[in-house]
Amino acid sequence: MRVLVVEDEECLADMIAAELRGAAIVVDIAHDGRAALAGLRLGGYDVLVLDHELPAPHGAALRRYVVAERLPTRVLLLTAAAPDDPAADPASAADDWLAKPFAPEELLARVVSLGRPARRAEPQVIERAGVTVDTTRGLAARDGRPLALSRTEFGVLEVLLRAQGAVVSGDELIEEVWEEHTRYGGNAVRVTLGALRAKLGAPPVIEAVPGGGYRMADGPGAEGPGAEGPEAEGPGTGGEPEPGARRARV
């Protein structure tokens, strides 16, 4: 799940982001309407957590943008006082609201509830070549053996499984799994995939496609020779966090 938090109080925005990231949710933050609008134009968000009292462009303008562009993004409105019913106004595009102050676990529950319909067409449990991920419970296994994966490793595995054998580029993995504000050098995708392959164990099921990216094989042992080499990576495989280099969204 991918969430955009729009809140001009930086401490509150950071608290919200920390709570959501603790639940393996990818979070981007905007502190004003202009930054939020730029993020929404890029698309890809399941839920928008929006401060009702946001400075211009105001929260209402951002909600109207969601409606006008027919975005699939669900909106959770944060408000200092309980509105009459923001969800009752179709023009507001607010699917739910939460009055400040609120408990972090309550916000998390609302976001998870809103994010599920955006993913309703996708299976909650995905399996290929004996590898399974349960996206609802955040569990992964291979041939029934539980896998202890980091949030990033789990996200990469989920994207590869959802592709059902299609090639996924390094840039696509970065877009789906890493957060918009993270900075990159040259090895993040390769390092994460190396750790993921080690945890999946032998025989290998993640295949590196020369000049293309990565894919989940139809069955074990499909990874060819040289797949770990740099020639298999292709352009745009992302990298490790590196100061001063902001990645471009694609």
Side-chain angles (χ1 to χ4, degrees):
M1 185 189 303
R2 195 177 191 96
V3 175
L4 176 60
V5 175
V6 185
E7 170 60 63
D8 62 334
E9 295 182 32
E10 294 189 16
C11 290
L12 179 56
D14 290 342
M15 182 274 289
I16 293 171
E19 181 71 19
L20 297 179
R21 288 168 182 158
I25 295 172
V26 176
V27 182
D28 294 335
I29 297 175
H31 295 303
D32 58 57
R34 290 181 179 84
L37 189 58
L40 287 172
R41 283 172 175 159
L42 290 172
Y45 292 107
D46 299 296
V47 179
L48 170 65
V49 178
L50 177 61
D51 178 16
H52 180 59
E53 303 298 330
L54 192 72
H58 301 291
L62 294 174
R63 283 142 52 199
R64 285 194 295 270
Y65 178 82
V66 170
V67 171
E69 297 298 317
R70 298 182 180 179
L71 300 181
T73 306
R74 309 294 297 282
V75 179
L76 173 61
L77 193 64
L78 303 181
T79 175
D84 293 335
D85 186 1
D89 177 8
S92 74
D95 300 285
D96 197 1
W97 60 271
L98 193 58
K100 300 177 182 178
F102 50 81
E105 56 269 22
E106 175 64 17
L107 180 135
L108 174 61
R110 301 289 185 94
V111 169
V112 170
S113 178
L114 288 174
R116 280 175 182 153
R119 299 280 188 180
R120 60 183 175 274
E122 298 178 346
Q124 295 178 338
V125 178
I126 318 163
E127 190 275 336
R128 186 177 180 86
V131 180
T132 304
V133 297
D134 184 331
T135 60
T136 301
R137 296 187 293 168
L139 302 177
R142 178 170 188 185
D143 298 326
R145 172 176 60 88
L147 301 172
L149 304 181
S150 69
R151 181 193 66 77
T152 305
E153 292 161 358
F154 186 93
V156 168
L157 183 59
E158 179 184 349
V159 171
L160 291 173
L161 285 171
R162 288 196 187 282
Q164 289 297 305
V167 176
V168 181
S169 72
D171 281 342
E172 288 172 322
L173 286 172
I174 288 174
E175 178 68 22
E176 290 291 328
V177 179
W178 277 263
E179 294 170 0
E180 186 275 337
H181 69 278
T182 308
R183 304 168 191 272
Y184 293 91
N187 295 314
V189 173
R190 183 182 300 186
V191 168
T192 299
L193 277 161
L196 178 58
R197 284 185 176 115
K199 292 180 180 180
L200 285 168
V205 290
I206 297 178
E207 176 181 331
V209 180
Y214 306 89
R215 67 183 177 194
M216 288 291 295
D218 293 325
E223 188 172 18
E228 295 290 344
E231 71 277 3
E233 299 295 330
T237 55
E240 293 286 9
E242 179 178 281
R246 183 184 178 87
R247 84 173 167 86
R249 296 287 300 274
V250 293

